[in-house]
């Protein structure tokens, strides 16, 4: 779960650039495939950027996230939209959606495959017939360890960011907070790497009629994405 610190760093240092870029890609994907999307739910919505962009595109979009800090920021920035705080592992909705999305490697935050299967089952339950579940997954080769990177200052404190990975398929995102030269706080978020074939099998077991993986959401894209896109149709 993202703490208030991670939420504020995410917003203050522009880490919401990805949902901004993904929104345009998603809109082109919808248009090219002539998919009718009237309603959309973004699970792990962060500060609500994707929901806002899709709402401006004409879709009734709402979001949910585990982080109270993220949801508070989303509600403050986009008060006209609906955002709920909840756990995607147990989250159920009384609405049906044409499209459910999850970006910024939110699925990688689910560390237990059994919990991830439960997420899929719940999504299947609140998708309209023929609805789509579209999410991204980290590529292992894109998660190389890095030396500490200075992010800048927040509330007069200096922040550093670092990525660690282990041989058992986990990645840790670490933020350290300094007052002067003294380390005063360390925050760590763990993520699990999943093989696309494993995810596709889980989706088919859940009941999705089709499921596929690509690193080019649009065939005409010239460059491979740094993530996998997983697309499942109910």
């Amino acid at each position: 779960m993202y703490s208030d610190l991670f939420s504020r760093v995410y917003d203050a240092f522009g880490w919401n650039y990805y949902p901004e870029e993904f929104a345009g890609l998603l809109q082109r994907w919808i248009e090219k495939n002539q998919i009718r999307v009237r309603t959309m739910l973004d699970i792990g919505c962060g500060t609500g950027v994707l929901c806002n962009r899709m709402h401006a595109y004409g879709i009734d979009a709402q979001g949910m996230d585990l982080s109270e800090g993220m949801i508070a920021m989303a509600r403050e920035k986009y008060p006209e939209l609906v955002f709920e705080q909840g756990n995607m592992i147990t989250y159920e909705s009384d609405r049906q959606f044409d499209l459910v999305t999850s970006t910024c490697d939110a699925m990688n935050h689910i560390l237990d495959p059994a919990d991830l299967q439960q997420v899929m089952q719940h999504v299947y339950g609140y998708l309209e017939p023929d609805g789509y579940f579209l999410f991204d997954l980290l590529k292992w080769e894109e998660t190389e360890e890095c030396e500490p990177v200075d992010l800048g200052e927040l509330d007069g404190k200096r922040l550093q960011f670092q990525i660690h990975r282990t041989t058992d398929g986990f990645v840790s995102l670490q933020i350290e907070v300094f007052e002067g030269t003294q380390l005063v706080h360390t925050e760590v978020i763990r993520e699990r790497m999943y093989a696309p074939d494993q995810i596709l099998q889980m989706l088919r077991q859940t009941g999705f009629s089709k499921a596929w993986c690509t690193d080019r959401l649009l065939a005409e894209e010239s460059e491979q994405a740094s993530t996998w896109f997983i697309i499942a149709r109910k």
Side-chain angles (χ1 to χ4, degrees), residues 137-232:
L137 289 173
L138 288 174
K139 289 182 177 178
W140 177 250
E141 61 269 24
E142 298 291 339
T143 60
E144 293 185 3
E145 291 200 8
C146 68
E147 295 296 321
V149 176
D150 282 320
L151 295 178
E153 289 193 359
L154 187 66
D155 297 335
K157 298 180 177 64
R158 183 168 57 88
L159 278 68
Q160 284 189 340
F161 175 74
Q162 191 170 11
I163 297 175
H164 301 279
R165 68 178 187 176
T166 62
T167 56
D168 58 354
F170 288 89
V171 173
S172 294
L173 312 178
Q174 179 173 303
I175 289 179
E176 294 182 328
V177 182
F178 294 85
E179 288 186 351
T181 59
Q182 183 178 359
L183 176 65
V184 296
H185 182 73
T186 299
E187 194 89 30
V188 178
I189 297 291
R190 295 186 76 217
E191 300 190 11
R192 181 170 187 152
M193 306 300 293
Y194 289 97
D197 287 348
Q198 177 188 8
I199 298 299
L200 295 178
Q201 183 179 7
M202 293 168 69
L203 287 163
R204 295 183 184 111
Q205 290 173 346
T206 300
F208 285 92
S209 62
K210 296 180 181 178
W212 64 99
C213 171
T214 180
D215 56 8
R216 291 185 178 93
L217 194 57
L218 297 175
E220 63 268 23
E221 292 289 319
S222 60
E223 295 184 2
Q224 296 174 321
S226 59
T227 60
W228 295 113
F229 296 111
I230 307 294
I231 308 163

Side-chain angles (χ1 to χ4, degrees), residues 17-153:
Y17 71 90
Y18 180 78
E20 285 278 3
E21 292 186 354
F22 179 74
L25 181 63
L26 179 60
Q27 291 165 15
R28 295 195 301 274
W29 178 79
I30 290 171
E31 292 166 2
K32 180 176 181 179
N33 291 282
Q34 299 182 331
I35 299 170
R36 186 179 182 186
V37 180
R38 297 158 297 182
T39 56
M40 170 186 152
L41 173 67
D42 189 30
I43 57 177
C45 66
T47 57
V49 173
L50 180 59
C51 289
N52 179 61
R53 287 287 306 274
M54 300 309 288
H55 172 75
Y57 181 65
I59 292 173
D60 178 8
Q62 69 180 65
M64 65 83 59
D65 199 286
L66 180 62
S67 168
E68 293 181 1
M70 292 285 194
I71 290 297
M73 288 186 180
R75 288 171 175 166
E76 181 179 354
K77 291 166 66 173
Y78 313 116
E80 71 280 10
L81 302 183
V82 174
F83 295 101
E84 296 182 274
Q85 192 274 329
N87 188 331
M88 68 174 70
I89 299 171
T90 56
Y91 178 79
E92 297 184 30
S93 176
D94 55 6
R95 294 190 65 189
Q96 298 289 109
F97 300 93
D98 298 312
L99 173 65
V100 175
T101 57
S102 187
T103 64
C104 298
D105 49 90
M107 293 292 108
N108 293 100
H109 291 282
I110 309 298
L111 302 182
D112 187 336
D115 288 338
L116 186 56
Q117 184 88 64
Q118 191 169 348
V119 173
M120 295 174 183
Q121 290 169 352
H122 284 302
V123 170
Y124 187 89
Y126 48 73
L127 267 178
E128 292 279 7
D130 295 322
Y132 286 86
F133 182 27
L134 195 161
F135 58 96
D136 61 24
L137 289 173
L138 288 174
K139 289 182 177 178
W140 177 250
E141 61 269 24
E142 298 291 339
T143 60
E144 293 185 3
E145 291 200 8
C146 68
E147 295 296 321
V149 176
D150 282 320
L151 295 178
E153 289 193 359

